[in-house]
Amino acid sequence: MTRLGEVAVITIGDELLLGQTIDSNAAFISRELAKHGFRVAIRITVGDDEEAISNSVRDALDRSRVVICTGGLGPTQDDFTKPVVARLFGADLVLDEQLLEQLRERFRQRGIVMAERNICQAEVPRGARVLPNPRGTAPGLLLTRDDGACCILLPGVPHEMRGLILEQVIPFLEQRATERAHPISYRTLRTTGIAESAVAEKLDGVVAAVRPLTLAFLPSIPGTDLRITCWGDLGESDAAAAIAAAETRIRSALQSHIYGADDDDLAAVVGELLRAQGLTVAVAESCTGGLVGKRLTDAAGSSDYFLGGIIAYANQVKHELLGVSINTLREHGAVSEAVAREMAAGARRQTGASAAIAITGVAGPGGGTPDKPVGTVWIAASLNQATETRRSVWGGDREEIRERAAQAGLALLWKLLRAPAASATPVAQVPVHEKL
Ligand code: ATP
Ligand code: MG
């Protein structure tokens, strides 16, 4: 192993191809290897099929110096990996007496008689190195070709595979490396409320300026994340400095759209701002059905600032519990700016909170009208004397619309919390006990 880009990962199993099992093994291997400066250049998934396994391992060995396979090492009829790879390496399978004794002992300890079928788990391709697997019955195996290319076979069971990667494979790769690559490092900046294309436009010159670092745009429901990656061609302190410099550039280009980094969640960011300013918040939710309240209370310690909320789905509840006026509901409809404003004011009045987020919209799939199609959502955020509203019409299914709405509600309050004076308009005063 002299350079990056030399590892191929092959995950084996029909359940992966059928989509029944998410291929978490491949993601884990890529992540752990990256931390140690080994870059996975190619990943392949094949079914429990001898020919497919054989072809993919042979092709991968042509391109990569190290091939890591997971799955199909067990004792059942659908486990072909070991004999197939042994054949590719021209190695016959020989019984490893020591391994067989360990296997028998494992079964004895559990008070089970070992089935004959398990004996094959103690067979090892001639010349292969056994990678002990204290968590399971099938050990890992390492086969090396005359030219140095090697193939590592690991069981598919995720916790067994993880143990073998950390305890056996990474130490092996490190010891084999003649010219160490540096760890791959990254930092993610998280934006919300700005389209991916607008982010890209603002960062036009930045992509070239940060080289050799790369910048990836990762859009998702909460917003577009920007991942700055240093691929291991700089030493650790140089990489840290380069990433920090890239972050500064990006922050200055995007200014107010970045709410956090790495695993930061907008709800927790909002919570910290509320806590720091000694403020409290309540929610009034229609189409999001409590999602904003859930997000805010996901953070431990949220009782310092989160007072509660009212899920006001029916107009009657909007009126009776939040004090939304009947006239407003009749004139503007439940999905309207005026109702969102009154919901926010009502949530604050009922709880005594200094801030509120209110959401009313059409999450679909039914309920849309020509002027309020599915995806139309009105949001109000209120803080002290200021109230901000916004209307959005989002695409996507019910779940996506609700998630987008919750994130946008949090984003609106976040905006107010950072500039409370900038957008001050008085909170609407609403009559409370009008009958529907
Ligand atoms: P065993 O000795 O248990 O038979 P094995 O090497 O034959 O081990 P598999 O039978 O292929 O492994 O898979 C065992 C379990 O691990 C299954 O539940 C399977 O869904 C899960 N698994 C296999 N591959 C992956 C993967 N790539 N990602 C996540 N889970 C996986
Ligand atoms: Mg199996």
Side-chain angles (χ1 to χ4, degrees), residues 74 76 78-79:
T76 56
D78 61 352
D79 294 320

Side-chain angles (χ1 to χ4, degrees), residues 114-341:
M114 191 179 96
E116 284 299 295
R117 176 176 291 285
N118 279 296
I119 293 178
C120 72
Q121 300 220 62
E123 287 177 348
V124 173
R126 199 180 292 281
R129 184 167 133 191
V130 174
L131 308 175
N133 171 18
R135 297 167 190 82
T137 50
L141 293 166
L142 166 63
L143 297 94
T144 308
R145 239 173 23 187
D146 291 345
D147 66 355
C150 65
C151 184
I152 298 167
L153 309 182
L154 303 176
V157 184
H159 81 277
E160 297 180 23
M161 178 281 309
R162 287 197 295 268
L164 280 159
I165 287 286
L166 298 177
E167 292 159 14
Q168 300 289 334
V169 176
I170 288 172
F172 163 74
L173 293 177
E174 290 197 315
Q175 166 239 317
R176 192 176 188 263
T178 48
E179 183 191 297
R180 287 301 319 280
H182 302 289
I184 297 172
S185 46
Y186 31 74
R187 174 136 173 105
T188 303
L189 299 177
R190 314 203 71 182
T191 72
T192 192
I194 175 167
E196 184 195 8
S197 52
V199 173
E201 214 167 280
K202 286 183 188 291
L203 295 180
D204 225 2
V206 176
V207 177
V210 300
R211 279 193 194 116
L213 309 192
T214 60
L215 190 59
F217 298 78
L218 308 167
S220 68
I221 289 175
T224 297
D225 288 344
L226 297 162
R227 195 193 56 230
I228 311 161
T229 306
C230 182
W231 288 99
D233 30 22
L234 297 179
E236 261 177 79
S237 62
D238 287 345
I243 287 178
E247 176 170 346
T248 305
R249 271 178 182 277
I250 294 168
R251 282 187 183 274
S252 72
L254 288 170
Q255 289 160 358
S256 59
H257 294 286
I258 296 171
Y259 66 83
D262 300 328
D263 295 327
D264 286 345
D265 179 68
L266 182 57
V269 170
V270 165
E272 284 315 309
L273 286 171
L274 289 165
R275 189 202 304 280
Q277 297 177 35
L279 299 169
T280 54
V281 66
V283 296
E285 302 188 56
S286 186
C287 66
T288 43
L291 195 50
V292 181
K294 187 227 175 263
R295 294 269 314 267
L296 283 164
T297 53
D298 277 344
S302 51
S303 56
D304 290 349
Y305 47 81
F306 182 73
L307 297 187
I310 294 156
I311 300 173
Y313 223 56
N315 282 355
Q316 189 191 345
V317 175
K318 289 187 180 73
H319 172 66
E320 287 180 3
L321 295 189
L322 288 170
V324 177
S325 96
I326 290 171
N327 280 345
T328 313
L329 282 164
R330 277 200 198 118
E331 251 175 60
H332 302 274
V335 179
S336 61
E337 178 176 18
V339 166
R341 274 181 182 275

Side-chain angles (χ1 to χ4, degrees), residues 12-13 109 185 292 297 352 413-414:
I12 299 162
Q109 278 175 6
S185 46
V292 181
T297 53
L413 180 57
W414 175 60

